[in-house]
Amino acid sequence: MPVRVVSLKVDVPQSIPADGQYHLLRFPFDVESYDPWNMHSPLQPDAYKMSPSSWATQPRSGLVWPCWPDGVRGWGTVHGLVYWEDGDYTEVRSRIVRDPLGIASGYDSTCTEDHVATPGQQFRAKTWGLFVDPQTPLGLMVRHNASDAVDVTLAEFKLTVQPVEEP
């Protein structure tokens, strides 16, 4: 069985509030980097439909639904890239979350990383492996500890899915 891939990118700044909470990064639907299996579609597997042009205001535009034929679970490898504008933060954080909006199996975070700020902008990349299910979306979430909102100026979110044979 072939490996399935989705590769998303956004270079429109996204303001991340200074509230100490994690925020789901959002990705446009109409300028997909690569998504032939519709893992990032405005029409989602639970029949929720969004306007492709409203991605910036729709939290669900941050979801990737790992698809595999016949609903088979798989082994996923996730890649994330986050560029932060310069700010008065002392750390930036990111995490991969299964069901970040609590619409399927419930919020389940993994691969949480925090980074001490270096002078200027922050450029952070991550890779993580995890089991994925076609009924449970994934998201890339971020936070910071600045006193004011800070922009993420570029983000990428990529997933490859390989089938897993049941024993």
Side-chain angles (χ1 to χ4, degrees), residues 98-117:
R98 291 181 187 98
D99 196 17
L101 300 177
I103 56 178
S105 59
Y107 188 101
D108 179 22
S109 67
T110 186
C111 193
T112 299
E113 295 179 296
D114 60 340
H115 297 277
V116 175

Side-chain angles (χ1 to χ4, degrees), residues 4-32:
R4 297 199 172 198
V5 177
V6 60
S7 177
L8 308 176
K9 180 178 180 179
V10 61
D11 58 6
V12 175
Q14 296 182 55
S15 181
I16 308 301
D19 60 6
Q21 303 297 311
Y22 281 91
H23 295 272
L24 185 61
L25 293 176
R26 299 170 186 185
F27 296 89
F29 294 108
D30 54 355
V31 291
E32 300 292 358

